[in-house]
């Protein structure tokens, strides 16, 4: 599943399509009237968390890549597209195995931009306030809560918990204030690092916990499990990642 930094890359890669008219829309989506898109110009391309937003004059298309979604720019995969947009100059945007739906065009009303981990307006204080309001929440679930950390996915979750030496089954209400602050700060910082490593094609080289078998700090085997309400896979060290609560 693409995480927030990957959506920033998609947004940057597609800026040339802003202002262009859709001359053909096709695909196997059942949630969008594709012919109605033809003749409309792209007003803007934005991202929020894991959502890619195509703003048109009368609607906004929200694309969520789910677990296995992907895209191609000016090329195609050898499989049916969920939605394919073609332009007069031969350019095309193709989306696969994703969710596509119409949403309300007032994006500022629909989204809390301060919650987007990659947004210039990311608000750490607001994130801390939301966390303090959910003391029973587990740390592994908190990082994946898109209302608090929009754009954080399982890779960032595992890496941030390892960075701050926090056990994924810790409860938020039991965290000392410095640990809570570190959790929020590193959720943002690791996302920034993720973006730079992804652009350099070296992201996996920097993984210290995600999909790893041994803790590099303690030289013991990582614990693994599908934890929390989210049941997403966790990789963590029972020795150096302290459990609170």
């Amino acid at each position: 599943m693409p995480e927030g930094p990957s959506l920033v890359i998609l947004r940057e890669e597609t800026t040339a399509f802003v202002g262009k008219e859709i001359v053909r829309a096709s695909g196997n989506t059942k949630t969008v009237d594709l012919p109605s898109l033809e003749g409309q110009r792209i007003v803007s391309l934005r991202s929020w968390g894991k959502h890619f937003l195509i703003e048109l004059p009368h609607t906004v298309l929200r694309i969520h890549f789910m677990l296995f979604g992907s895209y191609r720019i000016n090329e195609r995969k050898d499989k049916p597209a969920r939605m394919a947009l073609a332009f007069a100059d031969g350019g095309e945007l193709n989306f696969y195995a994703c969710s596509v739906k119409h949403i309300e065009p007032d994006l500022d009303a629909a989204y809390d931009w301060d919650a987007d981990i990659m947004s210039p307006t990311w608000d750490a204080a607001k994130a801390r306030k939301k966390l303090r309001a959910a003391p029973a929440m587990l740390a592994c679930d908190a990082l994946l809560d898109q209302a608090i950390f929009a754009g954080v996915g399982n890779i960032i979750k595992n890496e941030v918990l390892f960075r701050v030496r926090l056990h994924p089954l810790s409860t938020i209400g039991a965290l000392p204030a410095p640990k809570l602050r570190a959790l929020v700060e590193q959720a943002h910082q690791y996302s920034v690092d993720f973006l730079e490593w992804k652009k350099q094609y070296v992201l996996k080289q920097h993984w210290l916990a995600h999909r790893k078998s041994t803790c590099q700090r303690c030289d013991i085997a990582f614990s693994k499990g599908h934890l929390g309400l989210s049941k997403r896979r966790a990789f963590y060290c029972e020795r150096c990642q302290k459990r609170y609560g």
Side-chain angles (χ1 to χ4, degrees):
M1 176 191 294
E3 304 191 24
S6 297
L7 270 291
V8 171
I9 292 173
L10 170 57
R11 189 183 71 214
E12 293 175 349
E13 290 177 339
T14 55
T15 54
F17 291 92
V18 175
K20 290 186 177 181
E21 180 182 332
I22 299 169
V23 296
R24 186 174 67 258
S26 58
N28 59 19
T29 180
K30 305 298 183 183
T31 57
V32 173
D33 178 15
L34 293 171
S36 72
L37 305 181
E38 296 175 1
Q40 295 195 54
R41 292 186 182 275
I42 293 181
V43 175
S44 74
L45 294 167
R46 304 173 71 178
S47 65
W48 179 89
K50 301 176 184 180
H51 297 176
F52 184 58
L53 306 168
I54 302 176
E55 186 178 6
L56 301 173
H58 307 297
T59 189
V60 174
L61 300 176
R62 190 205 74 182
I63 297 173
H64 191 304
F65 289 97
M66 314 297 283
L67 287 176
F68 304 109
S70 61
Y71 65 90
R72 292 292 185 272
I73 301 171
N74 297 329
E75 62 179 18
R76 304 173 187 176
K77 297 177 72 171
D78 187 22
K79 61 186 299 185
R82 181 77 76 239
M83 182 175 72
L85 304 178
F87 303 86
D89 62 0
E92 53 187 70
L93 290 174
N94 299 301
F95 302 95
Y96 302 89
C98 58
S99 165
V100 184
K101 64 180 294 187
H102 289 287
I103 63 172
E104 291 298 318
D106 187 353
L107 293 178
D108 289 335
Y111 288 104
D112 177 5
W113 299 101
D114 295 344
D116 181 358
I117 201 74
M118 300 305 299
S119 171
T121 66
W122 155 252
D123 192 328
K126 185 181 289 187
R128 292 194 298 270
K129 182 177 180 180
K130 291 175 181 177
L131 289 172
R132 287 192 292 267
M137 185 181 290
L138 298 177
C140 59
D141 288 327
L143 282 167
L144 295 177
D145 189 325
Q146 299 301 291
I148 304 173
F149 298 106
V152 168
N154 209 43
I155 296 172
I156 297 174
K157 177 204 76 178
N158 285 321
E159 294 296 319
V160 168
L161 290 173
F162 186 73
R163 270 193 179 189
V164 302
R165 298 174 180 251
L166 182 61
H167 195 288
L169 294 178
S170 298
T171 56
I172 294 300
L175 300 185
K179 187 65 72 173
L180 181 69
R181 183 175 292 273
L183 180 68
V184 172
E185 289 176 351
Q186 287 303 316
H188 178 255
Q189 184 57 54
Y190 190 86
S191 298
V192 173
D193 294 341
F194 184 120
L195 176 61
E196 292 307 310
W197 294 331
K198 184 81 170 178
K199 288 181 175 181
Q200 297 167 21
Y201 302 99
V202 295
L203 174 63
K204 291 184 179 181
Q205 297 175 29
H206 291 272
W207 287 354
L208 301 178
H210 188 69
R211 295 186 179 177
K212 296 296 182 178
S213 59
T214 305
C215 173
Q216 69 164 21
R217 287 195 292 248
C218 303
D219 196 28
I220 62 174
F222 269 129
S223 295
K224 304 172 186 177
H226 294 83
L227 305 182
L229 295 175
S230 59
K231 300 299 183 184
R232 298 300 304 280
R233 199 172 188 197
F235 300 81
Y236 57 100
C237 178
E238 292 282 6
R239 180 181 294 172
C240 66
Q241 290 180 246
K242 184 175 178 179
R243 182 168 177 172
Y244 296 84

